[in-house]
């Protein structure tokens, strides 16, 4: 099997909505990723995993433009992100959504006001329409209607996760990035969140790249899994990775938690 890239081509005629070629990220002399190639196809959910220090969140932040690539190219929705400036960059931001691990909600704003922030920045709609959009997104993620008038501090951890997802979807994103979306949730809450993400992806045609360490989530919602190994990435289905010959992959997917997660899905 190859050292990096896809184990099998699973496109089936679908568009590539995220393409990384020869990506290198480093901080000073510390090289995190090197010669990294990676494709995500339209409509799929891809889980991004890796051991401690492999740079899962670094890669995500690099893809969305919060970190600078040292070398290589990142194409998002058919556009080289290095060419995006001004209006073109804002247009791309309107087509993508990001949910950070801690939610990153503005504590001084209500949930509705949080959702309206990107709508006001990119859409320029009147206040009543923006309020209607916020209410729609709150319902979309399964929160009660009165959630909109609450502050993040008044919500449970699971509700804050859903509220931040509602904000990520405020502009009808085509491509959604999730950073450890089930971290901090109990098993029941995590399972419900997995069902929500899978349902939204199918009903809205979302493409999702999800950084996670949760084996249950990988089994429950991901079409393919990208594993960061030796500064590169290997991508395949769960079945393909279960027979992939690499020490970390074997330990991760065949260890006690991996076996338990697979058993739960039977």
């Amino acid at each position: 099997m190859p050292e990096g890239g896809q184990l099998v081509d699973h496109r089936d005629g679908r568009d590539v909505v995220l393409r990384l070629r020869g990506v290198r990220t480093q901080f000073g002399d510390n090289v995190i990723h090197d010669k990294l190639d990676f494709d995500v196809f339209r409509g799929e959910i891809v889980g991004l995993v890796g051991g401690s220090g492999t740079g899962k969140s670094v890669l995500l932040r690099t893809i969305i433009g919060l970190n600078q690539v040292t070398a290589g190219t990142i194409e998002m929705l058919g556009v080289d992100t290095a060419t995006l400036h001004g209006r073109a960059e804002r247009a791309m931001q309107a087509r993508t959504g990001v949910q950070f691990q801690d939610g990153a909600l503005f504590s001084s704003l209500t949930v509705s006001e949080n959702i309206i922030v990107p709508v006001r920045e990119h859409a320029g709609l009147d206040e009543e329409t923006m309020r209607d959009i916020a209410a729609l997104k709150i319902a979309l993620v399964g929160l009660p209607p009165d959630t909109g008038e609450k502050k993040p501090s008044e919500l449970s951890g699971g509700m804050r996760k859903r509220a931040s997802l509602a904000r990520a979807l405020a502009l009808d994103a085509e491509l959604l990035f999730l950073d450890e979306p089930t971290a901090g949730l109990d098993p029941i809450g995590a399972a419900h969140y997995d069902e929500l993400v899978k349902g939204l992806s199918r009903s809205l045609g979302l493409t999702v790249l999800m950084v996670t360490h949760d084996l249950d989530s990988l089994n429950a919602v991901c079409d393919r899994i990208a594993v960061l190994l030796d500064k590169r990435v290997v991508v395949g289905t769960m079945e393909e990775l279960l027979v992939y010959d690499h020490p970390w992959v074997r330990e991760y997917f065949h260890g006690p938690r991996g076996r338990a997660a697979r058993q739960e899905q039977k």
Side-chain angles (χ1 to χ4, degrees), residues 114-135:
N114 267 281
I115 296 169
I116 286 171
V117 167
V119 181
R120 177 174 286 114
E121 180 179 355
H122 294 283
L125 301 172
D126 62 82
E127 288 293 328
E128 183 177 357
T129 301
M130 290 192 293
R131 286 279 175 184
D132 289 343
I133 290 172

Side-chain angles (χ1 to χ4, degrees), residues 6 13 47 50-51 55 67 118 120 186 192 204 224:
Q6 299 173 109
N67 293 331
R120 177 174 286 114
D186 61 58
H192 288 165
L204 301 178
R224 294 189 303 146

Side-chain angles (χ1 to χ4, degrees), residues 45-51 56 101 161 178-195 197 210-222 224-226 238 248 252-253 257-262 264-265:
I45 302 175
V46 176
L48 179 62
V49 302
K56 300 182 293 295
Q101 182 174 345
K161 295 274 190 183
L178 307 177
D179 189 8
E180 298 284 6
T182 58
L185 299 181
D186 61 58
I188 294 174
H192 288 165
Y193 195 92
D194 287 340
E195 292 172 6
V197 170
M210 178 172 68
V211 174
T212 185
H213 66 277
D214 192 332
L215 279 158
D216 290 322
S217 293
L218 295 176
N219 274 292
V221 304
C222 292
R224 294 189 303 146
I225 302 166
M238 177 67 77
W248 189 88
Y252 183 75
F253 288 101
R257 291 188 177 185
R259 290 194 294 271
R262 294 196 303 276
E264 284 291 321
Q265 300 304 317

Side-chain angles (χ1 to χ4, degrees), residues 4-5 18 21 57 74 78 83 96 111 138 146 149-150 153 173 178 192 243 262:
L18 180 64
R21 289 293 181 271
S57 292
I74 298 174
T83 69
T96 59
V111 171
I138 287 168
D146 64 351
E149 302 312 309
K150 295 180 178 179
S153 60
L178 307 177
H192 288 165
V243 296
R262 294 196 303 276

Side-chain angles (χ1 to χ4, degrees), residues 52-122:
S52 178
T54 56
K56 300 182 293 295
S57 292
V58 169
L59 183 58
L60 178 63
R61 292 173 67 85
T62 302
I63 291 170
I64 64 177
L66 296 180
N67 293 331
Q68 194 86 21
V69 290
T70 307
T73 60
I74 298 174
E75 292 183 11
M76 194 180 300
L77 298 169
V79 181
D80 184 343
T81 57
T83 69
L84 293 174
H85 305 284
R87 183 178 299 177
E89 185 175 19
R90 290 192 295 273
M92 181 61 71
Q93 290 170 350
R95 299 176 67 190
T96 59
V98 183
Q99 181 191 19
F100 294 101
Q101 182 174 345
D102 60 1
L105 296 168
F106 297 110
S107 60
S108 61
L109 303 181
T110 66
V111 171
S112 288
E113 290 167 341
N114 267 281
I115 296 169
I116 286 171
V117 167
V119 181
R120 177 174 286 114
E121 180 179 355
H122 294 283

Side-chain angles (χ1 to χ4, degrees), residues 136-162:
L136 176 64
K137 303 305 178 180
I138 287 168
L140 188 66
V141 299
L143 289 172
D146 64 351
T147 306
E149 302 312 309
K150 295 180 178 179
K151 298 286 185 65
S153 60
E154 300 177 80
L155 306 180
S156 67
M159 293 178 75
R160 282 195 298 274
K161 295 274 190 183
R162 289 176 182 251

